[in-house]
């Protein structure tokens, strides 16, 4: 094996003197950048006395830095895995939504699959007039409220004033009682924000009536006669508004 010249040894940072060899901390016969930096730092400062304790402290700091970097890499890898999982979840949800949209159809206000099974109900809106509350309209109102759909009523008074009543769906905490003992003539007793509303057929089942304080007028609201007003109020004949008796 040919011997290296002094110039080659200097280029490879091979320690030659005894003083240089003491900086070969890892004992590999070559001064790496860190070892060479320590040697040069000591050489440039005559007052600097690097002991093994100081070198050990530097190495501890170096190892601590490596541990911190390793923790950071693990955290970054965890975030990367979470992002991948979320992306795959969103992709799966999109495919599922696309599949269901092709496999469902709206029919009669209900959401059905291609086999005809009901998957859910749509909140369709129905507006009924007091003046047109025949048998079919009354029965439909009860069925729509039973299905928790949007049901409104509208009344046009003789004065031309109009009142609106929100019957269904029920407000939070309110209840309704339904009677389907006669499926052709169902009834409903509904709790609304304005009071109870009863939707029921007349004695011979030819038409439906809507009654209760939930559809009567408070003070200052329109009326045609006293029966249109809340209890203890009368319909003023001149103004056609409910007033105190």
């Amino acid at each position: 094996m040919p011997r290296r010249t002094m110039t080659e040894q200097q280029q490879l940072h091979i320690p030659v003197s005894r003083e240089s060899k003491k900086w070969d901390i890892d004992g590999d016969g070559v001064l790496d950048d860190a070892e060479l930096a320590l040697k040069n730092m000591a050489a440039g400062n005559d007052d600097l006395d690097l002991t093994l304790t100081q070198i050990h402290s530097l190495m501890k700091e170096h190892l601590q830095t490596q541990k911190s970097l390793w923790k950071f890499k693990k955290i970054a890898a965890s975030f990367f895995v979470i992002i991948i999982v979320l992306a795959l979840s969103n992709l799966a949800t999109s495919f599922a939504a696309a599949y269901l949209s092709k496999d469902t159809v709206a029919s009669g206000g209900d959401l059905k699959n291609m086999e005809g099974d009901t998957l859910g109900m749509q909140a369709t809106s129905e507006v009924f007039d007091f003046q047109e509350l025949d048998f079919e309209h009354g029965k439909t109102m009860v069925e729509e409220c039973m299905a928790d759909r949007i049901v409104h009523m509208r009344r046009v008074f003789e004065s031309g004033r109009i009142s609106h009543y929100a019957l269904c769906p029920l407000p939070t905490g309110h209840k309704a009682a339904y009677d389907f003992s006669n499926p052709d003539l169902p009834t409903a007793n509904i709790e609304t924000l304005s009071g109870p509303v009863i939707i029921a057929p007349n004695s011979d089942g030819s038409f439906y009536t809507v009654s209760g304080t939930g559809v009567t007028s408070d003070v200052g609201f329109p009326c045609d006669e006293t029966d249109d007003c809340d209890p203890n109020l009368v319909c003023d004949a001149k103004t056609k508004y409910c007033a105190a008796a």
Side-chain angles (χ1 to χ4, degrees), residues 43 51-52 133 139 150 167 187 221:
T51 65
L52 290 176
L133 202 57
K139 180 181 177 182
I150 300 172
L167 304 184
T187 64
F221 284 83

Side-chain angles (χ1 to χ4, degrees), residues 9 42 66 80 89 144 165 168 194 230:
Q9 291 175 343
Q66 284 185 324
F80 179 76
S89 298
E144 294 292 278
Y165 311 91
C168 301
S194 302
D230 288 346

Side-chain angles (χ1 to χ4, degrees), residues 50-187:
L50 292 177
T51 65
L52 290 176
T53 301
Q54 291 172 314
I55 293 174
H56 181 256
S57 177
L58 291 172
M59 289 300 296
K60 285 179 64 178
E61 292 179 6
H62 175 68
L63 292 174
Q64 186 62 36
T65 302
Q66 284 185 324
K67 290 181 180 179
S68 299
L69 289 174
W70 174 242
K71 289 181 179 179
F72 174 78
K73 289 180 180 178
K74 288 198 294 185
I75 293 173
S78 299
F79 276 115
F80 179 76
V81 171
I82 292 174
I83 291 172
I84 293 297
V85 171
L86 290 176
L88 292 175
S89 298
N90 288 336
L91 186 62
T93 302
S94 299
F95 277 116
Y99 175 79
L100 288 176
S101 66
K102 294 180 180 179
D103 199 38
T104 57
V105 61
S107 176
D110 296 334
L111 194 64
K112 300 178 180 291
N113 61 18
M114 299 307 291
E115 286 74 31
D117 300 324
T118 300
L119 302 177
M121 290 176 288
Q122 296 177 321
T124 57
S125 178
E126 291 283 352
V127 179
F128 300 89
D129 286 319
F130 269 76
Q131 293 83 352
E132 300 177 3
L133 202 57
D134 57 17
F135 167 78
E136 289 297 331
H137 284 129
K139 180 181 177 182
T140 301
M141 283 181 65
V142 175
E143 293 173 342
E144 294 292 278
C145 282
M146 181 70 176
D148 206 29
R149 300 193 182 102
I150 300 172
V151 177
H152 289 176
M153 289 200 70
R154 179 182 63 183
R155 179 171 183 179
V156 181
F157 293 90
E158 294 175 358
S159 61
R161 302 182 182 99
I162 300 175
S163 289
H164 294 270
Y165 311 91
L167 304 184
C168 301
L170 299 179
T172 302
H174 291 240
K175 300 178 181 179
Y178 299 96
D179 183 359
F180 279 82
S181 56
N182 183 349
D184 293 328
L185 296 172
T187 64

Side-chain angles (χ1 to χ4, degrees), residues 3 12 14 43 48 60 76-77 96 101 105 113 150 173 180 203 205 234 238 241:
R3 293 176 59 84
L12 294 174
I14 298 176
L48 182 64
K60 285 179 64 178
S101 66
V105 61
N113 61 18
I150 300 172
F180 279 82
S203 57
V234 296
K238 293 182 179 179
Y241 284 110

Side-chain angles (χ1 to χ4, degrees), residues 8-73:
E8 291 175 336
Q9 291 175 343
Q10 291 174 345
Q11 290 176 346
L12 294 174
H13 307 307
I14 298 176
V16 178
S17 65
R18 182 177 180 181
E19 180 66 20
S20 296
K21 288 181 179 180
K22 77 175 185 178
W23 297 106
D24 184 16
I25 298 174
D26 55 10
D28 61 355
V30 178
L31 298 182
D32 57 27
D33 292 339
E35 294 167 339
L36 186 62
L38 289 172
K39 176 178 178 297
N40 292 337
M41 184 169 59
N45 190 345
D46 295 336
D47 297 330
L48 182 64
D49 183 17
L50 292 177
T51 65
L52 290 176
T53 301
Q54 291 172 314
I55 293 174
H56 181 256
S57 177
L58 291 172
M59 289 300 296
K60 285 179 64 178
E61 292 179 6
H62 175 68
L63 292 174
Q64 186 62 36
T65 302
Q66 284 185 324
K67 290 181 180 179
S68 299
L69 289 174
W70 174 242
K71 289 181 179 179
F72 174 78
K73 289 180 180 178

